[in-house]
Structure formats: C-alpha cells, structure tokens
Amino acid sequence: MSLVTRSRRTASRPALSRDRVLRAAVEIADEAGIAAVTMRRLAENLGAEAMSLYHHVANKDQVLDGVVDVIAAEINEAVGRITLPTHGAAWKAAARERILTARQVLLRHRWAPALFESRSTTSPAVLLYFDGLVGIMRDGGFSNDLAHHAMHALGSRAMGFSQELFSPGDGPATGEPDPVMAAMAARLPHLVGMLAEVMHDDPDSTVGWCDDQSEFEFGLDLLLEGLDRRR
C-alpha cells in the first residue's frame, strides 16, 4: 500500500474517541453477545491499533462500564420523550410507560440486563433514570419512605427486566423430552411440571430465560396496583 493511499484511508476514517470505542462495543455485543467484546475485536472493528484504544479506555472493565452508560443514556433519551401527566393517580400510568419504554430499549440489546447486574459501580446515567422514576412517585403523592419501599419492591423491574431466579438451561432442540428435567421430575414434581407446561410463544418479547412480555407486565401491574393502594 502506498503512503498516499494509506494517508487517504486514515483521513477518511473518523478520529478515534471514547464515544466511538463504546459505540463499537455496543455494535459487537448486539451482533455476537457481550462476551465477544474484547480489546482486540474492538481494534479490528475500528480499524485501529489495539494500543491506541488505551488512550480512551484503560481496560475492558472501563469499556463495559462505558457500555452501561451508553445503554442507560439511550433509555433516558427514550423516556425523555414521554409526555404523560404524573400528578395524583396519573403516576401509575406514567411509571408504567417509563418502565415499558426502558424495556423496549433493552429488547434491542438483549445482553444488557446481565451486564447491568454484573457491574460493581452504578452508572450516573442509571441513577438519572431512577431519579426520574422516584420523581413520578413523589408527584403521585408518595412519601420518600414509600418511594424507597417501592424501589426495593420493583427491583430490576424498575428498569424493564426481571432478574432471573435460575435458568434451567436450553433443552434439546429435537422435540424429545429433556433428560435433565426428566431426571428431576421424581424429586421436584411441582417445579418440573410447571416448567414443562410453561411455554414462551413470543421469543421477540424475551430479555431473559423466563422474562417474556406478558409475564413482565403481569408482575409490573401487580406491583404498581399494590403500590397505588398504599399511596
């Protein structure tokens, strides 16, 4: 490659920045899952030397923390467009819309809930999202004490996903009975019977193994209705 050609390619490529690195990480995760995000893969996707990334992010942990910021900022932008009233009894519809809007963002980045749960520090953008939710509750007449209880009750649902209690893993794709489930049936008849009957017929609405849209909304509505009675 001639020096002129190399110079033209370099000139046409956007300058490397922290924002470019983080958005490239999101693109990789969307395509191949969060485990595929490595410094080498990022450098390849950005057309840069791996060492040049360290001018913008110190290590992979900083990349993952930054990715949480990017997704949370996308959520905040989406919920910022909601114009529902929040005062009095209107709080419940506003809170529901905010949470389901956040969920729609997470459905575009299905790997994100597990990443959110894994981080040891809380993103300022995530705190901003929760601040808005508490603000809706305060407008609705919640005391700070009740709002605090409500946030604990909602847990991960406040941000649009249900934290999994456990995952039984993927069963066989042949349509045959799952041998692992069959082996547990005698010892855990009620749990295995329930899991065998429960089917998720809309995989596009699923963030986790057992977190489909209808179940998510059922749990969310149950909590919001109970909190409204406490209000």
Side-chain angles (χ1 to χ4, degrees):
M1 181 187 298
S2 69
L3 290 176
V4 172
T5 302
R6 184 179 302 164
S7 175
R8 283 174 179 169
R9 288 189 177 180
T10 303
S12 63
R13 183 183 302 148
L16 204 59
S17 66
R18 185 174 184 274
D19 184 65
R20 275 197 70 212
V21 171
L22 297 179
R23 293 190 181 281
V26 171
E27 289 175 6
I28 292 169
D30 285 342
E31 178 184 342
I34 196 65
V37 177
T38 65
M39 300 303 277
R40 177 179 294 182
R41 177 83 176 264
L42 275 170
E44 290 174 356
N45 279 37
L46 289 164
E49 296 294 330
M51 291 303 296
S52 65
L53 300 183
Y54 294 101
H55 295 293
H56 307 283
V57 286
N59 49 44
K60 183 177 175 178
D61 270 341
Q62 276 200 7
V63 172
L64 296 180
D65 286 340
V67 165
V68 169
D69 290 336
V70 170
I71 301 303
E74 186 178 339
I75 290 172
N76 285 331
E77 182 180 355
V79 300
R81 294 192 288 269
I82 298 172
T83 58
L84 293 176
T86 58
H87 289 277
W91 82 273
K92 188 171 70 170
R96 189 179 195 275
E97 183 67 17
R98 183 182 185 85
I99 291 169
L100 293 181
T101 298
R103 180 176 175 82
Q104 288 306 306
V105 174
L106 295 180
L107 285 169
R108 296 197 292 270
H109 309 288
R110 295 169 189 270
W111 45 269
L115 179 63
F116 276 49
E117 292 173 357
S118 73
R119 310 320 296 156
S120 57
T121 57
T122 303
S123 159
V126 170
L127 294 176
L128 184 63
Y129 171 83
F130 285 134
D131 183 76
L133 184 55
V134 172
I136 290 172
M137 293 177 185
R138 293 289 284 153
D139 285 349
F142 281 58
S143 66
N144 279 322
D145 185 58
L146 183 56
H148 176 245
H149 286 310
M151 295 299 286
H152 275 289
L154 287 165
S156 67
R157 242 188 208 92
M159 201 153 199
F161 66 98
S162 301
Q163 187 172 11
E164 300 287 3
L165 293 175
F166 64 92
S167 174
D170 296 325
T174 61
E176 296 297 320
D178 186 337
V180 176
M181 297 288 281
M184 293 191 300
R187 189 175 182 184
L188 308 171
H190 306 297
L191 185 60
V192 171
M194 179 189 73
L195 294 176
E197 185 174 330
V198 171
M199 298 294 292
H200 298 296
D201 55 5
D202 186 8
D204 290 338
S205 74
T206 300
V207 174
W209 170 75
C210 204
D211 180 16
D212 73 6
Q213 191 72 19
S214 61
E215 288 179 358
F216 181 85
E217 292 188 23
F218 174 83
L220 177 62
D221 289 340
L222 200 65
L223 286 162
L224 294 179
E225 287 162 11
L227 290 169
D228 196 46
R229 286 196 294 272
R230 289 295 181 100
R231 179 184 68 90

